[in-house]
Amino acid sequence: MRLSPLALCVLACLSSPVWAGTPDDHQRIEALEAQVQALTAELQAMKAQQATPAVAAAPVAAMPAQGAEAEADALAADASDVAAVAPDAGSDQNAVAAVAAPSGDAGGGSGPNAFNPAISIILNGSYSHHSLDPAAFARTGFPLVGEGAPSPNGFSLGESEVSFAANIDDKFYGQLTATVESEDGEDHLGIEEAYISSTVLPDGLSLRLGRFYSNIGYLNSHHAHTDNFFDRPLPYQAFLGNQYGDDGVQLRWVAPTSLYFEIGGEAFRGQNYPSGGAQNGGLGTKTLFAHVGGDAGTDNEWLVGVSALKTRTEGGEDGFSGDDTLAIFDGTWKWAPQGNFKDGGITLRTEYMVDKRDGSYIDPNDPSFTALWNGSRRGAYLEGVYRFNRTWDAGYRYDKLWGDDDLPFASFDPYRHSAELTWRNSEFSLFRLQLSHEKPNPDDADNAVTVQYQTALGAHGAHAF
């Protein structure tokens, strides 16, 4: 306010004939006028700032805080919080739904993960070297089926996936997971899962329709990127072609008790191994499963289960036709200080499978050779993983298969030792080194080294126990 009269006085003096005599004087006057105009502009800016309402700055200050909160929520829902999640095999769906559902809060539109549906991308690559040629690899008594073959030598994209998940409305949740994998130098795009699930059935009931992984055993319902090792155990490779998923329906009930208890059943088309050809009018495979688990104090958690898969096969990948029944027994125990597995702990897990067959065998490479196939094969694995801290963990796994002398092949009991060391930069990226020694037949041994990298992009819900 004081500058305006002063500026007028200066201008009045400068504009008088006394000061307008020489060219130098004109230049000095112009310079002074420029300074006065600058001072006037600064004064007006100060007045405008003082007149601005205080609430006008509030949204600018609030937006970063809301974004940080959204990020914190996303991190809290990450897979590293497994120990904090109830031993609910369906919690993967529920957690993803929580991420996918519109929050409705003020920060929903500012976070980078605030998409509907939620989008998650898993990138998985590896480098492997086997002492035996993977293309000529063979396990005596256990033909390679599905995706149960060893990884190829050299660099490989592996299996990467893109998932979309969201609450459809007030009664349904949906998820689609597409996979991209490289095999024999060619890229393949497939649909891994595409299903809808109910969210409002009463008394702990839930219904799932579409294509999904069966809830039998422990590992089968888990996506491979959650495994503690680069590859699936031998029983999964031999009896399920790595993992059983198909088109079907699942009904599941979780008891409303403090002790976790679930029971359920599924009916599948029966198109994929160990089934084949969608027998019984497109209802070729049926399953039953039950799991019980809970806490033991503040540091220990446990989960045990029993499952059965029964299918009718016609011309399966391994040459079998007939009735196949697979029984699975699984158990998991976790220990972590105060239950906080993110900062360290031990996980022990085992599964035991019995594969009983009653039918016939036709050699896929020589159809003239046929034989009866009545008997049982077995398989099991035991793995332990010690997590030093948030960054490092190390583990060991022993897996084995038991053949049957009554099978149409020479009987042998393949086995494998595997050790892994994993480094995590965060919950969203890891590098893993795995060494393994396998005896697939009486004459050969395969020593393999694998370096794996894996990253998670986008919103990704917590995984089941």
Side-chain angles (χ1 to χ4, degrees):
M1 295 295 295
R2 296 177 181 176
L3 293 178
S4 296
L6 175 61
L8 294 175
C9 294
V10 172
L11 288 174
C13 295
L14 294 177
S15 60
S16 65
V18 176
W19 292 90
T22 65
D24 293 340
D25 293 337
H26 285 292
Q27 293 177 359
R28 293 170 59 186
I29 292 172
E30 290 176 357
L32 289 172
E33 286 178 343
Q35 292 179 4
V36 170
Q37 291 175 357
L39 291 171
T40 303
E42 183 177 354
L43 177 62
Q44 291 175 350
M46 294 174 63
K47 288 181 178 179
Q49 186 174 5
Q50 291 176 355
T52 302
V55 293
V60 178
M63 287 181 63
Q66 292 170 354
E69 184 179 353
E71 286 297 311
D73 291 342
L75 288 170
D78 188 73
S80 59
D81 290 336
V82 170
V85 178
D88 181 356
S91 61
D92 195 0
Q93 162 207 323
N94 298 331
V96 174
V99 175
S103 61
D105 58 21
S110 60
N113 294 330
F115 293 100
N116 187 15
I119 301 174
S120 171
I121 301 173
I122 303 296
L123 300 180
N124 183 29
S126 63
Y127 173 85
S128 296
H129 177 75
H130 296 264
S131 59
L132 294 179
D133 182 7
F137 193 90
R139 293 191 183 101
T140 301
F142 299 88
L144 302 180
V145 291
E147 300 178 355
S151 59
N153 277 333
F155 291 102
S156 177
L157 176 62
E159 183 177 290
S160 299
E161 64 180 45
V162 180
S163 293
F164 304 87
N167 285 337
I168 298 170
D169 52 27
D170 61 328
K171 294 182 176 59
F172 295 103
Y173 161 88
Q175 180 172 334
L176 184 147
T177 301
T179 60
V180 181
E181 60 181 324
S182 180
E183 184 176 1
D184 298 329
E186 298 183 359
D187 296 331
H188 301 278
L189 176 64
I191 301 300
E192 191 173 69
E193 290 188 296
Y195 62 83
I196 61 172
S197 294
S198 65
T199 58
V200 294
L201 288 183
D203 303 323
L205 288 169
S206 65
L207 181 68
R208 179 171 294 186
L209 302 166
R211 178 176 300 177
F212 53 90
Y213 288 129
S214 172
N215 204 33
I216 57 173
Y218 179 87
L219 286 180
N220 194 76
S221 62
H222 291 68
H223 287 201
H225 68 264
T226 67
D227 291 2
N228 292 319
F229 291 82
F230 169 70
D231 45 15
R232 284 277 156 111
L234 290 179
Y236 273 88
Q237 294 184 358
F239 302 137
L240 294 169
N242 233 28
Q243 190 169 17
Y244 182 69
D246 210 336
D247 302 345
V249 58
Q250 176 194 87
L251 181 63
R252 177 168 156 267
W253 177 68
V254 178
T257 59
S258 57
L259 182 69
Y260 176 77
F261 175 71
E262 73 159 4
I263 186 170
E266 299 157 332
F268 290 105
R269 179 175 175 81
Q271 190 71 42
N272 300 328
Y273 188 85
S275 186
Q279 301 300 301
N280 297 329
L283 294 174
T285 301
K286 301 177 181 63
T287 73
L288 291 173
F289 56 84
H291 291 93
V292 181
D295 298 329
T298 59
D299 299 344
N300 299 277
E301 298 169 307
W302 59 277
L303 179 71
V304 297
V306 57
S307 312
L309 180 151
K310 186 173 181 58
T311 188
R312 175 72 181 174
T313 300
E314 184 66 33
E317 287 187 56
D318 53 5
F320 175 74
S321 294
D323 295 324
D324 183 7
T325 301
L326 178 66
I328 306 175
F329 305 88
D330 65 272
T332 298
W333 172 77
K334 289 186 176 183
W335 170 85
Q338 302 300 317
N340 184 15
F341 191 77
K342 181 182 293 184
D343 291 327
I346 297 174
T347 298
L348 294 178
R349 180 171 298 123
T350 184
E351 291 189 73
Y352 177 73
M353 300 185 184
V354 179
D355 181 52
K356 185 176 182 180
R357 298 193 163 194
D358 184 6
S360 59
Y361 170 78
I362 300 177
D363 189 340
N365 301 316
D366 182 10
S368 63
F369 177 78
T370 62
L372 294 177
W373 188 338
N374 298 316
S376 298
R377 301 179 299 173
R378 296 169 293 141
Y381 75 89
L382 173 64
E383 68 177 41
V385 176
Y386 178 66
R387 187 156 189 169
F388 300 94
N389 48 46
R390 295 194 177 201
T391 304
W392 292 94
D393 68 56
Y396 168 77
R397 182 181 68 193
Y398 178 72
D399 39 356
K400 186 171 183 176
L401 300 169
W402 291 272
D404 191 327
D405 292 336
D406 295 331
L407 297 179
F409 332 104
S411 179
F412 181 72
D413 299 336
Y415 63 87
R416 181 172 61 183
H417 299 273
S418 301
E420 64 89 14
L421 179 66
T422 301
W423 175 79
R424 289 177 172 81
N425 182 56
S426 69
E427 294 87 346
F428 306 102
S429 64
L430 65 82
F431 282 82
R432 175 174 291 139
L433 171 66
Q434 178 170 315
L435 307 175
S436 63
H437 171 80
E438 180 175 355
K439 188 74 174 174
N441 57 66
D443 302 320
D444 298 315
D446 181 39
N447 297 308
V449 55
T450 299
V451 178
Q452 176 190 16
Y453 69 87
Q454 183 175 285
T455 62
L457 293 75
H460 198 81
H463 300 124
F465 175 84

